[in-house]
Amino acid sequence: MARIATIETSVAPARVWEILADGWRYAAWVVGASRIRAVDPAWPQRDTRIHHSVGLWPLLLDDHTEVREVVRERQLVLRARAWLFGKAEIAISLEPDHDGGTRITMAEHVVEGPYALVPDRVQEEMVLPRNQECLRRLVLLAEGATE
């Protein structure tokens, strides 16, 4: 069984989507992204990018993340460069629940580069703690946005 980061929140998918659709807030919920340098004006439409830096000062690397697929308020699939690892695809899905809240899932797999040869199960175990923290931060931002 796949190990995918999952979290639930009482806020509606539209509220969570507001955070995902605001590229300037990307570094606030993505572990490892330290600052945003630019956001393409049409973000999060397909093929748009967030230009960010990763790492800790003074060891920052300029990088970018690109939208591969988007279904407003339902799914965002990103392609991120992962330094020595290659490129990773990250799928974030929003599912409304019967109480008006949202179930959020996040799956990540290296799709290009040397680590793409690592079995999926091992990749999932390696990124699970990071992705759980990303979702925790995303929910905190979304829940704060309702106040």
Side-chain angles (χ1 to χ4, degrees):
M1 175 181 266
R3 303 250 310 151
I4 297 171
T6 303
I7 196 168
E8 294 184 12
T9 179
S10 60
V11 300
R15 207 49 106 166
V16 178
W17 186 257
E18 286 178 23
I19 305 302
L20 293 173
D22 182 352
W24 291 102
R25 296 182 92 174
Y26 183 81
W29 64 271
V30 174
V31 174
S34 57
R35 67 178 175 202
I36 305 302
R37 299 184 333 273
V39 177
D40 288 358
W43 176 269
Q45 292 179 15
R46 185 175 171 83
D47 298 325
T48 59
R49 292 179 174 183
I50 292 175
H51 305 270
H52 55 85
S53 300
V54 294
L56 297 172
W57 188 90
L59 303 173
L60 294 172
L61 297 171
D62 289 346
D63 216 337
H64 68 268
T65 296
E66 180 177 331
V67 176
R68 304 295 289 168
E69 296 177 36
V70 61
V71 178
R72 184 176 171 78
E73 296 183 13
R74 299 291 287 181
Q75 185 177 43
L76 185 62
V77 178
L78 305 172
R79 176 73 54 97
R81 292 190 305 170
W83 315 323
L84 303 172
F85 300 103
K87 293 183 180 178
E89 189 163 279
I90 302 102
I92 302 162
S93 298
L94 310 178
E95 295 178 39
D97 68 21
H98 62 280
D99 293 327
T102 308
R103 181 175 188 265
I104 310 165
T105 60
M106 182 175 181
E108 178 175 352
H109 284 25
V110 176
V111 294
E112 188 177 309
Y115 282 85
L117 300 174
V118 174
D120 288 348
R121 179 71 177 165
V122 175
Q123 286 189 37
E124 291 166 1
E125 290 295 330
M126 290 172 57
V127 299
L128 184 63
R130 176 185 172 277
N131 290 345
Q132 287 173 323
E133 177 61 17
C134 288
L135 291 183
R136 188 183 75 78
R137 293 177 184 190
L138 178 61
V139 164
L140 288 171
L141 289 168
E143 290 174 351
T146 64
E147 297 174 359

